[in-house]
Amino acid sequence: MTARPEIEAITARIREQSKPTREAYLARVDAAISSGPHRSVLSCGNLAHGFAACGPIDKAALAGDRVANLGIVTSYNDMLSAHQPFETFPQLIKQAAADAGGVAQVAGGVPAMCDGVTQGQPGMELSLFSRDVIAMSAAIGLSHNMFDAAVYLGVCDKIVPGLLIAALTFGHLPAVFIPAGPMTSGLPNDEKARVRQLYAEGKVGRAELLEAESKSYHGPGTCTFYGTANSNQMLMEIMGLHTPGASFINPNTPLRDALTREAAKRALAITALGNEFTPVGRMIDERSIVNGVVGLNATGGSTNHTIHLVAMAAAAGIRLTWQDISDLSDATPLLARVYPNGLADVNHFHAAGGMGFLIRELLDDGLLHEDVRTVWGEGLRNYAIEPHLADDGSVSRAPAPEKSGDDKVLTTAGKPFQPSGGLKVLKGNLGAAIIKVSAVKPENRVIEAPALVFHSQEALNEAFKAGQLDRDFVAVIRFQGPKANGMPELHRLTTVLGILQDRGRKVALVTDGRMSGASGKVPAAIHVTPEALDGGMIGRIENGDVIRLNAEAGTLEVKVGDGVLASRAPAAPDLSDNGFGMGRELFAGMRALALRADAGAGAFG
């Protein structure tokens, strides 16, 4: 089944604008394929170092270059709930590889930081650039040229994008991504949000807040709301980088372990030593990227991926723009309601039919490219399934359910929650910005109010505590872009602005910083580009300027004459506190090199 004409047209546009960079990328991939990845290119001394710690059976296999060697790149650490389950994965993978007649080695580890831990803290200013550090760390592990394929163990916000950038940089190798799964459901996310609001209003204390947070984030696995981490898992599956049905199976279950073993065997099966060679640089193409964007919009996924998807696509020589993402959003109906776009969590989404149901609905409605290559073979239809544990401990698969298990959580393409997707580009005299509209009620999608300007989320929160914000206004939080302070998430704004909206005030946010997949009911024009420190007009807004945010029309304007705005001197920020402490001094070079948000906000590109 072919995709709809509008999907085909946007894909063709991406293909055309990417032609020079994509052709150069594929030429590099093909050159690398033709020269290896075989250990025979290594000298005897090189090779001896590469298998010195192996047992005699693996040494003999690697010395003869007869079997495939699987490189494991892991983001394991045992502080973070999402990554703690990876502790046991390498042994599962090594045993599965041995059972399949191959070898597996841990190629290297990458850092994994948690935005939930660093939220509102100095460490958050390292978060976005950790994506680039992760990509470089993975590259160091793979640079030994000992591997015929790689598996990538990662889950959360910057980890999966960084790992995919690395995988595509080593595009001559097959790549399979192996998730750890979400934690089981705890305190409902809306109840957690209610307690946060009560705490912000001084109606409950820290003990009550910590109890609610601990009941919500309570065990191994990803957080259960539909933020960037779970958007990552959706993307890896709909782009064909997971084995079918792998995304949302809970950690430490027999099915999770069976999927991990299966993924390792599949990675070995698609190496150049077999009959199904699937180098990831050839596998991921413009159609795969479009499928990812459609999935993001159909599920109301994370705004962070308007940055990450651009950077990931660029690693494959594909030029994806915000306008492409917005146009695909206009063509994509919203089929999922998962918190903060609804009350359900990702476990409820999975129980309602999950990725298999979603992919089948999108395929049947012509919203996805079916004719793509995946790690499972030809065609995305293979992913319209539901995984189960077979009697022998392996993975079995059945067709996705015909009906949603809960049509308030997951619906059909014929009866969408709204006719368009979750993300939209705003344009105007402030530049370009992103807004996530799927969680914003229609009556709050057009806001016109005076600006109140702040240079940090802490300053706005202090103004709220002082009783200065009980009015209609547009909060302008600037000098939060990648060049200024590394573009930390400003998640702590969500609670305060939500309280004011609940009180009947018309409020909105305009910022050159990030929010996250957790951005919710308050209209927020984020990622404003150019950022204030890069000459953006957001740096010239003054208190009292009337700002009009129109998410329906896709516009963002400050209602002063363009000549007046241009004639103003830009604000001069004091960023001295952002350059040191918690490792921030080590990232000064990355801030200086940072690309614009609409170009992926990375330190290389």
Side-chain angles (χ1 to χ4, degrees):
M1 183 174 180
T2 59
R4 286 184 182 185
E6 57 267 40
I7 302 295
E8 293 283 5
I10 297 168
T11 307
R13 183 176 76 201
I14 295 170
R15 188 177 293 116
E16 184 61 29
Q17 69 201 22
S18 305
K19 194 173 182 180
T21 50
R22 180 65 175 169
E23 287 180 350
Y25 171 79
L26 291 176
R28 294 194 298 270
V29 168
D30 290 344
I33 289 171
S34 66
S35 63
H38 299 298
R39 287 163 300 286
S40 59
V41 304
L42 300 178
S43 73
C44 292
N46 297 148
L47 192 56
H49 278 85
F51 60 55
C54 293
I57 295 175
D58 287 350
K59 275 186 182 180
L62 295 177
D65 200 26
R66 302 189 310 269
V67 302
N69 189 21
L70 186 58
I72 304 167
V73 180
T74 177
S75 61
Y76 164 71
N77 66 63
D78 65 5
M79 186 193 78
L80 304 183
S81 64
H83 298 88
Q84 185 273 337
F86 287 137
E87 180 179 13
T88 61
F89 280 34
Q91 273 313 119
L92 286 173
I93 293 166
K94 289 180 180 183
Q95 186 59 57
D99 292 344
V103 177
Q105 295 177 295
V106 175
V110 303
M113 67 179 294
C114 178
D115 290 0
V117 176
T118 57
Q119 199 66 248
Q121 304 297 321
M124 175 56 82
E125 296 181 18
L126 278 59
S127 174
L128 180 57
F129 292 136
S130 76
R131 182 193 70 195
D132 298 359
V133 173
I134 289 160
M136 292 186 287
S137 300
I140 290 169
L142 296 174
S143 69
H144 296 103
N145 202 23
M146 286 285 294
F147 308 107
D148 299 278
V151 292
Y152 297 87
L153 312 183
V155 176
C156 285
D157 297 15
K158 265 51 87 205
I159 294 91
V160 166
L163 290 175
L164 184 52
I165 290 169
L168 291 167
T169 303
F170 285 76
H172 60 290
L173 295 178
V176 178
F177 279 65
I178 303 180
M183 68 178 67
T184 56
S185 299
L187 186 74
N189 285 290
D190 60 324
E191 175 62 15
K192 173 194 69 181
R194 186 187 72 84
V195 176
R196 284 180 176 178
Q197 288 207 7
L198 291 173
Y199 178 76
E201 294 176 288
K203 295 178 180 178
V204 300
R206 182 177 172 84
E208 291 86 350
L209 177 65
L210 183 57
E211 181 182 11
E213 298 284 357
S214 299
K215 288 180 178 178
S216 180
Y217 308 117
H218 65 90
T222 64
C223 308
T224 60
F225 66 88
Y226 195 53
T228 311
N230 288 315
S231 296
N232 283 339
Q233 305 317 304
M234 180 281 303
L235 281 172
M236 293 303 97
E237 185 152 344
I238 208 166
M239 290 170 66
L241 286 153
H242 280 172
T243 56
S247 292
F248 297 120
I249 305 300
N250 300 122
N252 303 320
T253 61
L255 180 55
R256 175 84 275 155
D257 289 348
L259 284 160
T260 298
R261 290 191 293 267
E262 179 190 68
K265 293 178 181 179
R266 187 60 193 167
L268 291 171
I270 59 176
T271 69
L273 297 176
N275 296 320
E276 297 181 75
F277 183 40
T278 310
V280 69
R282 282 279 177 189
M283 188 190 96
I284 295 296
D285 63 11
E286 295 86 353
R287 296 167 300 174
S288 311
I289 297 295
V290 166
N291 284 352
V293 176
V294 169
L296 189 73
N297 280 298
T299 55
S302 170
T303 55
N304 276 323
H305 277 296
T306 60
I307 294 174
H308 296 322
L309 270 167
V310 170
M312 291 187 286
I318 297 169
R319 183 171 178 264
L320 178 71
T321 70
W322 280 1
Q323 194 60 54
D324 298 326
I325 295 172
S326 187
D327 289 349
L328 286 165
S329 179
D330 289 343
T332 304
L334 182 70
L335 304 189
R337 286 280 190 201
V338 187
Y339 188 86
N341 301 326
L343 298 181
D345 67 24
V346 292
N347 292 309
H348 302 133
F349 166 79
H350 179 72
M355 290 300 300
F357 184 97
L358 175 79
I359 288 171
R360 189 201 60 228
E361 286 296 313
L362 293 172
L363 282 172
D364 288 352
D365 207 43
L367 291 163
L368 293 173
H369 293 285
E370 186 169 349
D371 58 337
V372 292
R373 294 176 74 184
T374 74
V375 299
W376 205 243
E378 295 291 335
L380 193 60
R381 184 69 59 173
N382 292 321
Y383 286 74
I385 58 84
E386 189 171 67
H388 300 282
L389 188 70
D391 291 340
D392 64 358
S394 65
V395 181
S396 66
R397 291 178 171 85
E402 287 299 315
K403 293 184 178 180
S404 169
D406 187 342
D407 59 13
K408 294 180 181 179
V409 176
L410 184 59
T411 187
T412 64
K415 295 181 179 179
F417 294 118
Q418 65 183 44
S420 60
L423 302 170
K424 199 172 187 70
V425 174
L426 304 177
K427 293 183 177 179
N429 61 358
L430 291 179
I434 294 292
I435 188 168
K436 183 175 179 176
V437 294
S438 52
V440 179
K441 292 181 179 179
E443 62 266 27
N444 292 325
R445 293 180 183 177
V446 180
I447 300 289
E448 184 173 309
L452 287 179
V453 181
F454 303 91
H455 288 180
S456 70
Q457 60 181 339
E458 292 78 15
L460 182 142
N461 287 331
E462 288 302 318
F464 173 77
K465 292 176 183 177
Q468 299 169 359
L469 300 183
D470 194 13
R471 48 178 149 166
D472 296 351
F473 69 99
V474 174
V476 176
I477 317 292
R478 61 192 179 195
F479 299 106
Q480 304 298 310
K483 286 188 177 296
N485 63 354
M487 209 178 190
E489 282 188 359
L490 306 176
H491 190 40
R492 286 191 170 180
L493 298 170
T494 304
T495 301
V496 166
L497 294 175
I499 291 169
L500 294 169
Q501 181 174 276
D502 290 348
R503 291 176 181 174
R505 295 302 187 184
K506 293 290 186 181
V507 293
L509 172 67
V510 174
T511 180
D512 51 8
R514 293 185 298 127
M515 288 291 278
S516 76
S519 57
K521 62 189 179 182
V522 175
I526 61 176
H527 307 175
V528 171
T529 303
E531 64 176 285
L533 199 66
D534 202 27
M537 290 299 166
I538 189 174
R540 299 168 189 254
I541 297 173
E542 296 180 356
N543 285 325
D545 288 346
V546 174
I547 294 177
R548 182 174 178 83
L549 186 162
N550 188 331
E552 303 289 356
T555 57
L556 178 65
E557 300 277 345
V558 56
K559 300 185 76 173
V560 301
D562 290 345
V564 173
L565 196 62
S567 68
R568 289 177 179 171
D574 179 5
L575 297 173
S576 57
D577 287 343
N578 302 98
F580 299 90
M582 291 297 158
R584 287 177 290 181
E585 49 268 67
L586 301 176
F587 285 73
M590 300 185 85
R591 290 191 294 271
L593 293 171
L595 300 173
R596 288 165 40 138
D598 58 357
F604 47 79

